[in-house]
Amino acid sequence: KYDVSGNTNPTSNTPTTDVYRYATLYTADGTALHVALPTADGGLAYPNGIGVYQNGTAYTDTTNSGTPSPTYKGLLAIWDANNTNSITTGTAVSGTPTGWQASAYWSATPSASGYAGVLLSNGLVNDTDVNFKYYVALQVL
């Protein structure tokens, strides 16, 4: 519910947004971990819309060099960098990174029913009610 500078979201009915998506978690020994919930697409519009499979691109960054995707940001960039169709374009292809669950992940991005969920198993962006059980990936800052 905080921005990157630690300011609280002034809109209490939407605690998490593409801007207000940061938190501090504490380990058992008291170490503070600053984390962020990824956005669905970095505040950008989904090229194919919500509720629709997105197109894979020829982008790859499986070595995690930090080179940003030219098409996507956030969870969609993770999907695009790892999709099995990364040498061509296509839809409904898996982009689950090694060691991750091939499933849907929550994003910080609000949607009409709650929040956008990104299915890394196929590149689908969903408008998801907060009662669904999705996985969470956190970016450690």
Side-chain angles (χ1 to χ4, degrees):
K1 69 177 186 178
Y2 302 101
D3 69 10
V4 71
S5 299
N7 300 308
T8 303
N9 185 347
T11 308
S12 60
N13 64 341
T14 307
T16 305
T17 68
D18 286 348
V19 173
Y20 295 97
R21 60 192 186 94
Y22 298 88
T24 301
L25 303 176
Y26 294 91
T27 63
D29 68 359
T31 302
L33 296 174
H34 300 285
V35 297
L37 183 63
T39 64
D41 196 18
L44 303 173
Y46 314 112
N48 291 350
I50 195 162
V52 179
Y53 297 105
Q54 303 304 306
N55 291 324
T57 70
Y59 169 74
T60 59
D61 186 20
T62 56
T63 61
N64 299 311
S65 68
T67 305
S69 168
T71 305
Y72 300 111
K73 307 293 178 234
L75 288 169
L76 281 175
I78 292 169
W79 166 77
D80 194 35
N82 291 279
N83 75 53
T84 55
N85 206 26
S86 62
I87 58 171
T88 61
T89 59
T91 59
V93 293
S94 178
T96 305
T98 302
W100 290 40
Q101 188 69 29
S103 190
Y105 286 78
W106 284 111
S107 78
T109 305
S111 64
S113 298
Y115 290 91
V118 177
L119 281 76
L120 298 181
S121 57
N122 59 22
L124 179 68
V125 179
N126 276 332
D127 170 19
T128 306
D129 181 284
V130 296
N131 295 314
F132 278 74
K133 292 179 174 41
Y134 279 10
Y135 286 86
V136 174
L138 295 175
Q139 176 186 7
V140 179
L141 307 174

